[in-house]
Amino acid sequence: MNTPRLSAGTALVTVPGRGLALRTPDGTFLRVDTGDVPPRSLLRRLGAGPDPDPAPDAAVPDPEPEQEPDPGTDRLVAAFEEAGYATRAPDSVPPPGTAAPLAGTAVLLLGDPVLTRPVARLLRTAGAAPEPVAPGRLTERATGAVTRTAVVWCLDGPVPPGLWDPADRLSRDGALWARCHREGARAWIEPTARGPYGVTAADIRLRRLAATPAHRELAAYWAGSRTADTGPRHTEVTAAHTAALLVHDLLAAARPGPDPVPPVLRGVDLRDLGTTRHPVLPVPPCAPFPGPPGEPGNPR
């Protein structure tokens, strides 16, 4: 049987005059009532070692002899395990889902090298083996994969009209669909679409148009009625920052279960890396606009 130990991110703290406290991975401190069990016994059982060195002016107690685990200590250790604060998993086996969250996922990567290079490096650390793919073969490769598929598309410039429209359907077919692009000095990292109700690029455009009084001007900008893009383009630093946020969102979407928070659109100012967050939701389907008077279904 493996020796119990504290779970990753947790720590037992000896508080002067108050016994033991547990610091959880999120920084919360919980009081530990050991009852009639000596705190040192619990520390030894969980591999936390002896008490910290006493203050120089404190009396040093005689060392206690080593004792066999007693039922009281066993009950405390079992309570720690039940709450998830202790584990018996071997050191070489990390908790499920923490070592390589994208292992076994086919990641198809497209876009500009200044962004795809740092994204690929981060994806490999998450257990993925990103593969470059041409836009014309994206649908074929994504829908023909036998394993879970993720598509990551990064652009160092505005999205050409209609470029992402075919890819928007991939999330409805089961692929994770992550993307980012730059408009002037701001990079936009769109939330990863997952499943039939994921937030697509078309949803993002509609939400952004609805949120600005300059919706006609923004629509014309996206349609290509603009002068040539003059940057500022991504640097190595801004690309690394953008790639980290993009892969973070992809990892969150790859976790099983419901999304813990609403999808978030991130905007990164490339001049100072200031980042904004905008929660967004998919745009529900609606009935088409009625046609001119006199057409069938619209008599007036």
Side-chain angles (χ1 to χ4, degrees):
M1 182 178 294
N2 296 313
T3 302
R5 70 182 192 281
L6 291 171
S7 299
T10 61
L12 280 171
V13 181
T14 302
V15 185
R18 297 182 64 87
L20 292 179
L22 175 77
R23 187 188 187 279
T24 67
D26 63 0
T28 302
F29 284 93
L30 305 176
R31 176 78 179 275
V32 179
D33 185 359
T34 62
D36 58 356
V37 176
R40 289 187 178 186
S41 177
L42 180 62
L43 289 167
R44 283 196 297 266
R45 284 294 306 278
L46 293 177
D51 289 336
D53 293 336
D57 56 349
V60 179
D62 295 331
E64 296 178 0
E66 291 291 332
Q67 297 179 355
E68 293 295 324
D70 58 71
T73 306
D74 290 339
R75 287 193 297 271
L76 283 173
V77 172
F80 269 68
E81 291 180 284
E82 184 178 355
Y85 298 130
T87 179
R88 293 177 184 266
D91 290 340
S92 59
V93 180
T98 60
L102 292 180
T105 301
V107 180
L108 305 178
L109 189 57
L110 306 89
D112 296 312
V114 67
L115 287 165
T116 58
R117 282 194 294 263
V119 167
R121 285 196 297 269
L122 294 173
L123 289 174
R124 283 191 286 268
T125 65
E131 306 174 35
V133 62
R137 297 198 58 201
L138 176 59
T139 302
E140 171 194 350
R141 293 284 304 278
T143 57
V146 296
T147 60
R148 182 176 64 174
T149 305
V151 176
V152 182
W153 204 328
C154 310
L155 297 178
D156 186 21
V159 182
L163 180 66
W164 284 351
D165 291 345
D168 259 350
R169 295 188 285 270
L170 295 177
S171 63
R172 295 180 173 90
D173 295 329
L176 296 174
W177 166 219
R179 58 221 174 261
C180 67
H181 70 283
R182 178 181 57 79
E183 297 175 9
R186 185 171 295 273
W188 291 101
I189 304 166
E190 302 189 2
T192 303
R194 181 180 71 166
Y197 306 108
V199 179
T200 63
D203 291 328
I204 294 295
R205 290 194 296 270
L206 289 173
R207 294 295 188 187
R208 288 184 60 190
L209 288 174
T212 176
H215 54 90
R216 294 180 182 84
E217 291 79 2
L218 183 57
Y221 177 86
W222 288 339
S225 299
R226 60 179 185 265
T227 56
D229 175 65
T230 57
R233 297 188 177 277
H234 274 284
T235 66
E236 185 174 350
V237 172
T238 64
H241 181 77
T242 301
L245 292 176
L246 177 71
V247 174
H248 169 274
D249 291 348
L250 179 63
L251 294 177
R255 297 191 191 106
D259 293 330
V261 295
V264 171
L265 170 67
R266 302 176 190 269
V268 180
D269 191 324
L270 301 184
R271 295 164 296 189
D272 59 6
L273 294 183
T275 304
T276 58
R277 294 164 47 91
H278 312 271
V280 292
L281 292 174
V283 177
C286 61
F289 285 110
E295 285 191 355
N298 189 34
R300 292 192 296 173

